[in-house]
Every structure is written in structure tokens, then in C-alpha cells.
Amino acid sequence: MSLINYLINIRNSNKQSMLRDQFGRIHNYLRISLTERCNLRCFYCMPANGIQLSPKENIMRAEEIEILVSKFVKLGVNKIRFTGGEPFVRKDFDSIATSLSKLNCEMAITTNGILIDQHIETFKNCGIFKINISIDSLKKDKFNSITRRDYFNRVMDNIELLFSKGFNPKLNVVVIRGVNDDELIDFIGLTKEWNTTVQFIEYMPFQGNKWDFSKTVNAEEILQNVSRIFGEGNVLKVEDKKNDTSRKYKIKGFTGNFGMISTVSNPFCDSCNRIRLTANGRIKNCLFSGSETDLLTALRNNENVEELIKETVFNKKSQRGGIKNFASEEGRLMSESNRSMILIGG
Ligand code: SF4
């Protein structure tokens, strides 16, 4: 190792140690919600009666995002993911991505895919190759009923477009019993030819999304079904990386793989490295944390934002924002007091 690389490594490990929580977990992954708005209305994400949007002046401006994110990077963040709402609803997405690409972080995005064809050049120019597309059904009618909008063809066309342009997007599927749990094998079928990961995400409780424990489908149940269809010997474990949220498998001979994200039934909080920044500039140290820290106001008031970030991360609870059991009354009340999913970005 050259002296320069040695010094860079020392500097990076020092940086990494700066966002450590009280349990010793190091946080290097920031998820940034760019907007509260979305062009879909998925029932598990957006409450039926809509949401109260933050006033425009309370939403982070592009230059404020850049300043805040550079502070996170200074503290050791080296991976950022754009979320929403729907990130492409924000008209200045391309310029935000371009300015953040100068921070030398890995950049990723989660999107519903409707507008993705307009941003492919930006992906290439900024090095955004980790793209997750949310799609909960391969049947047009069901897709429309889940999303309460009619964009199925456009999303499918854009997924194919990405593959044709050399990207390998992951597909995120929120599995809800009685809604789309009959399509898991169809989704896995896509991995036969496509070099993709289909991520089955457990239905999680958020404000106003009518969650019920009986509607979650856990990893074990999915694996049993998959083994029954493909044969147990053909379902192979794929090695998971450190900090991976999904436990991955593949079908023998298939190109891609599939994974399960079991936040409800089997949380993976021990290795959590994630922090979230909401579109109105609040930091959440956990997807389910009941408390938030207002960085945007602090920034506008010239306060010490970096100390606030460090303190918020340090105080993170060991698991799921302190919720021990979602199915309990306490769990129900705590998740109901959290934001709805559209205001967090997943
Ligand atoms: S529930 Fe919270 S602590 Fe657990 S993995 Fe998700 S964000 Fe991390």
C-alpha cells in the first residue's frame, strides 16, 4: 500500500468513527428524501385522505441539501440514496445529483420508475448505478389498484429501457397478504433472464396505512413457497454483504436473485448503518424513530449542525426506534405517531 493510500485509509477510518451510536454502530449511509410529493398514491405509503405537505419554504432548497449532505460526508457518510416521495417529481433533481456527485460518495436512488427515462444521462454522468424500482404487481389492474394511478406500462417500459442501457435495477416489492402474495413466483421468474435482485419487503406499519400484522408475509413463508415450486435443492443461499438489509437467495441456473427484507418479523438492526434526512430537513436516526432533529432550521440559524447530527445518531435506540412489538398496543400507538411512509422515503 502506498503512503498516500495508507494516509487516506487512516483519514477514512477516523471519519467513519464520527457517526457512532451508543451501541457502537457506525453510520455511513444517508437516505435523503428530496420531496414529499409523489405521482402515485400507493395505499400502504400514502394515507387515503392524503397528507399535509410541509409549506414550500420549509422544504430544503438545492443549495441547503448540498451543504447538509457535505456535513454528513465530513462525518463519515460515504453512501447516499435519493428517495421521496418520488425523487424525480423534484424538477431540480439533475442539478442536485450533479452537485452531490462532487462529494465522491456512492450515490443510489429509489424510484417508482415513471420518469426515469428522462434522467439516464444524469445517472451516467454522476455514476448512479444502484437503482431500486418499486413495483408491487406485474398485473396492470392490480398495479393500478395499489397505486391508484395508471402508469403500469410506462414503469415496465422504463425497467426494460434500463436493462437495455446496461443498468441492473433492483425491484422492490412490498408483499401484502391477500393483495400480491400470489405473485411472488412470477417476480422470481423475472430473475431467470434479468440480472436483477427482487427484494420482497414486509408490509410495515406507518401512520394511516391500515397495517395489520396478519397482512405481513414473512421470509420463512416465502422460502417455503419458493421451495415447493422450484424444489428445495434448487433454492440456493447467496452470500449477504455486511449491512445488507435483505437475506438473498437464487434459483439454480437463474441469472438474478431474490431477497427478503424482514423488518417486522426479524429485524436486522444490529448492523444498521442508516440515517434518514427528510425533505423538510429533519434527521431521523431510525425509520421508526418517534423523534426527529430539525437540521434545516439549525442550518438557517447558523447553529452547529454537525454536533446535532452526532448527538442524534448517538441517541439511536437499539432496535426499530424502541418499538419492541408492532402487534402490541404500544407498537401500534408508536407507529401511528410516526410519519406516513411517503414523508420518510422508506
Ligand atoms: S428499524 Fe431502524 S435500527 Fe432497525 S434497521 Fe431499520 S432504521 Fe436501522
Side-chain angles (χ1 to χ4, degrees):
M1 184 187 293
S2 72
L3 180 62
I4 289 187
N5 283 345
Y6 175 73
L7 291 173
I8 288 173
N9 276 353
I10 296 230
R11 193 198 61 187
N12 286 346
S13 61
N14 283 339
K15 273 167 67 177
Q16 277 194 352
S17 67
M18 295 170 86
L19 285 181
R20 202 180 275 265
D21 71 11
Q22 57 187 315
F23 304 100
R25 291 172 296 192
I26 290 168
H27 292 71
N28 64 331
Y29 177 14
L30 177 67
R31 299 174 63 100
I32 311 163
S33 168
L34 292 180
T35 175
E36 298 175 346
R37 296 172 186 274
C38 187
N39 39 11
L40 294 181
R41 294 288 181 274
C42 303
F43 72 84
Y44 59 82
C45 185
M46 167 90 83
N49 50 357
I51 50 157
Q52 179 76 44
L53 293 170
S54 299
K56 194 161 179 264
E57 64 273 18
N58 291 359
I59 298 293
M60 294 183 289
R61 297 189 292 265
E63 63 276 17
E64 290 170 328
I65 293 174
E66 192 179 343
I67 296 171
L68 286 175
V69 174
S70 64
K71 290 185 185 300
F72 279 96
V73 170
K74 201 169 149 202
L75 293 169
V77 162
N78 57 17
K79 175 177 178 182
I80 57 182
R81 177 175 289 276
F82 300 114
T83 67
E86 163 53 36
F88 296 135
V89 166
R90 191 154 171 155
K91 298 274 186 293
D92 53 0
F93 170 80
D94 292 320
S95 68
I96 291 172
T98 303
S99 74
L100 294 191
S101 69
K102 297 181 187 115
L103 296 174
N104 288 327
C105 271
E106 178 185 306
M107 295 209 292
I109 189 161
T110 298
T111 166
N112 61 31
I114 294 171
L115 299 170
I116 215 163
D117 50 303
Q118 299 169 22
H119 302 278
I120 288 181
E121 278 311 302
T122 300
F123 292 168
K124 287 183 183 162
N125 294 337
C126 297
I128 301 175
F129 297 106
K130 295 202 165 172
I131 302 167
N132 289 14
I133 299 190
S134 305
I135 175 165
D136 300 315
S137 176
L138 297 172
K139 296 174 181 163
K140 185 174 178 172
D141 287 351
K142 199 189 289 180
F143 177 96
N144 290 352
S145 118
I146 292 171
T147 62
R148 302 167 180 144
R149 293 291 184 272
D150 185 7
Y151 284 117
F152 178 77
N153 293 343
R154 204 191 290 188
V155 172
M156 289 306 287
D157 287 350
N158 275 342
I159 292 173
E160 286 180 19
L161 177 72
L162 282 176
F163 280 109
S164 74
K165 299 279 183 189
F167 293 89
N168 295 108
K170 290 184 181 176
L171 305 183
N172 285 353
V173 183
V174 175
V175 182
I176 304 174
R177 192 181 305 284
V179 175
N180 60 353
D181 55 332
D182 58 338
E183 291 191 56
L184 306 187
I185 303 301
D186 295 342
F187 273 107
I188 291 173
L190 296 176
T191 69
K192 187 171 187 181
E193 305 293 338
W194 284 354
N195 184 10
T196 184
T197 299
V198 175
Q199 303 198 115
F200 296 123
I201 302 168
E202 279 181 352
Y203 181 28
M204 292 177 276
F206 291 98
Q207 192 180 82
N209 78 345
K210 299 199 171 72
W211 178 84
D212 176 335
F213 188 68
S214 66
K215 292 182 193 161
T216 63
V217 181
N218 66 38
E220 203 179 322
E221 189 178 341
I222 292 175
L223 268 184
Q224 277 171 6
N225 277 338
V226 174
S227 297
R228 194 166 38 79
I229 300 293
F230 291 99
E232 205 168 325
N234 291 319
V235 183
L236 311 176
K237 182 77 190 81
V238 173
E239 195 181 338
D240 300 309
K241 293 196 198 104
K242 186 173 175 261
N243 302 125
D244 267 0
T245 51
S246 74
R247 302 288 169 258
K248 285 197 279 308
Y249 294 80
K250 71 179 292 172
I251 304 299
K252 197 173 179 179
F254 282 21
T255 311
N257 54 49
F258 65 97
M260 278 79 74
I261 301 183
S262 315
T263 312
V264 174
S265 65
N266 188 13
F268 32 82
C269 306
D270 288 354
S271 60
C272 183
N273 63 341
R274 287 171 290 284
I275 326 159
R276 290 169 169 83
L277 183 61
T278 64
N280 63 345
R282 315 252 168 141
I283 174 175
K284 280 177 82 72
N285 60 15
C286 171
L287 182 55
F288 298 102
S289 62
S291 61
E292 302 174 349
T293 305
D294 184 355
L295 296 188
L296 184 58
T297 302
L299 178 73
R300 289 176 180 176
N301 291 340
N302 283 322
E303 290 166 26
N304 190 335
V305 170
E306 286 171 34
E307 278 310 310
L308 285 175
I309 296 172
K310 283 200 266 186
E311 194 183 307
T312 307
V313 171
F314 185 81
N315 289 328
K316 178 164 172 158
K317 299 270 175 40
S318 65
Q319 205 177 68
R320 297 187 306 204
I323 300 177
K324 292 189 183 67
N325 179 359
F326 284 124
S328 68
E329 181 60 8
E330 178 211 35
R332 190 187 65 73
L333 288 172
M334 285 175 83
S335 357
E336 268 295 312
S337 64
N338 194 1
R339 291 168 174 244
S340 54
M341 196 168 174
I342 189 167
L343 293 176
I344 306 174

